[in-house]
Amino acid sequence: NAGVTQTPKFRVLKTGQSMTLLCAQDMNHEYMYWYRQDPGMGLRLIHYSVGEGTTAKGEVPDGYNVSRLKKQNFLLGLESAAPSQTSVYFCASILGGEVSEQFFGPGTRLTVL
Amino acid sequence: TQLLEQSPQFLSIQEGENLTVYCNSSSVFSSLQWYRQEPGEGPVLLVTVVTGGEVKKLKRLTFQFGDARKDSSLHITAAQTGDTGLYLCAGGSVYNFNKFYFGSGTKLNVKP
């Protein structure tokens, strides 16, 4: 099992450009999450999904969109990148039911110039 | 505004010393998790506590959940250099789509 994988690992964008971050999990988990991590702020929830075809907003959703067309994949899109979106992005998944352990991917370091 | 406040933010100690990290909130959580994160990697779960007053031990690490389920602590006995990392607490609920709110973290450096 690869667990949770994220692509790309690093990316540099110019203000106004768009990009999509891909998260994939091979554990048949129901729940998937996108977080951003900034210095001194911990992890903040951007969007999440409780199953295939569902998405919902988290704490800091503005400027991001997501899709979960397949159970194993959760995509995070930035339509028009801004310098404030410079961050490290983590994807996580949870099996569901009574099990709440989050499995995290290795992260994507995004810089917006 | 952080839902969960962690203290201290930074901790630098010598190998063999004991330490305690605190995680406090004004909100009640049905479960509280502690994670450790190494540089360049995602957080890895250490423990989940779900019952008020619960104490869990993981080798030299002792985790406690407050009676009111608003706060938690992590105590490390005889710290080792391998304990160096960022420690994060997260409060949430399996009854709220497993959404978890993270503290800002405690960066621990254990010197040899």
Side-chain angles (χ1 to χ4, degrees):
Chain A
N1 281 357
V4 180
T5 57
Q6 291 182 233
T7 52
K9 285 187 166 46
F10 303 93
R11 186 72 187 269
V12 178
L13 289 179
K14 293 181 180 177
T15 297
Q17 287 185 318
S18 63
M19 77 163 294
T20 300
L21 282 68
L22 171 63
C23 175
Q25 53 94 4
D26 61 1
M27 299 173 284
N28 201 34
H29 284 182
E30 287 295 329
Y31 298 80
M32 295 186 75
Y33 306 82
W34 275 107
Y35 293 92
R36 59 177 290 173
Q37 185 174 34
D38 302 292
M41 299 287 289
L43 284 93
R44 291 182 292 168
L45 182 63
I46 305 171
H47 285 282
Y48 64 100
S49 168
V50 301
E52 181 179 311
T54 75
T55 62
K57 294 179 180 179
E59 296 174 76
V60 289
D62 294 343
Y64 305 95
N65 56 74
V66 287
S67 65
R68 185 136 180 237
L69 299 178
K70 291 183 179 180
K71 187 176 184 179
Q72 62 268 35
N73 296 336
F74 196 27
L75 278 62
L76 178 71
L78 285 73
E79 286 188 353
S80 180
S84 60
Q85 293 178 304
T86 293
S87 188
V88 181
Y89 291 85
F90 287 99
C91 175
S93 69
I94 293 178
L95 177 63
E98 294 293 316
V99 178
S100 64
E101 175 178 359
Q102 296 187 72
F103 289 82
F104 283 85
T108 295
R109 184 173 292 275
L110 175 66
T111 301
V112 182
L113 302 175
Chain B
T1 305
Q2 292 281 155
L3 212 55
L4 285 161
E5 298 289 338
Q6 278 187 246
S7 61
Q9 277 191 305
F10 302 96
L11 199 49
S12 183
I13 61 171
Q14 294 293 139
E15 199 168 29
E17 291 183 3
N18 301 332
L19 67 115
T20 302
V21 176
Y22 299 93
C23 176
N24 296 303
S25 176
S26 56
S27 300
V28 175
F29 296 105
S30 64
S31 64
L32 197 296
Q33 299 178 332
W34 284 93
Y35 289 82
R36 186 168 83 198
Q37 185 179 18
E38 308 277 354
E41 297 179 9
V44 176
L45 181 70
L46 295 172
V47 78
T48 300
V49 285
V50 297
T51 305
E54 183 176 3
V55 176
K56 276 192 177 179
K57 291 194 175 184
L58 193 68
K59 295 183 182 177
R60 294 176 295 100
L61 279 60
T62 302
F63 304 86
Q64 185 159 8
F65 201 12
D67 290 341
R69 290 185 290 139
K70 291 182 180 181
D71 53 83
S72 179
S73 64
L74 157 60
H75 182 79
I76 301 179
T77 305
Q80 299 176 356
T81 55
D83 295 327
T84 293
L86 178 68
Y87 289 81
L88 296 158
C89 66
S93 172
V94 297
Y95 307 108
N96 186 22
F97 309 112
N98 279 307
K99 285 195 295 181
F100 280 83
Y101 298 92
F102 282 79
S104 53
T106 294
K107 201 163 187 178
L108 172 65
N109 179 36
V110 182
K111 296 176 284 188

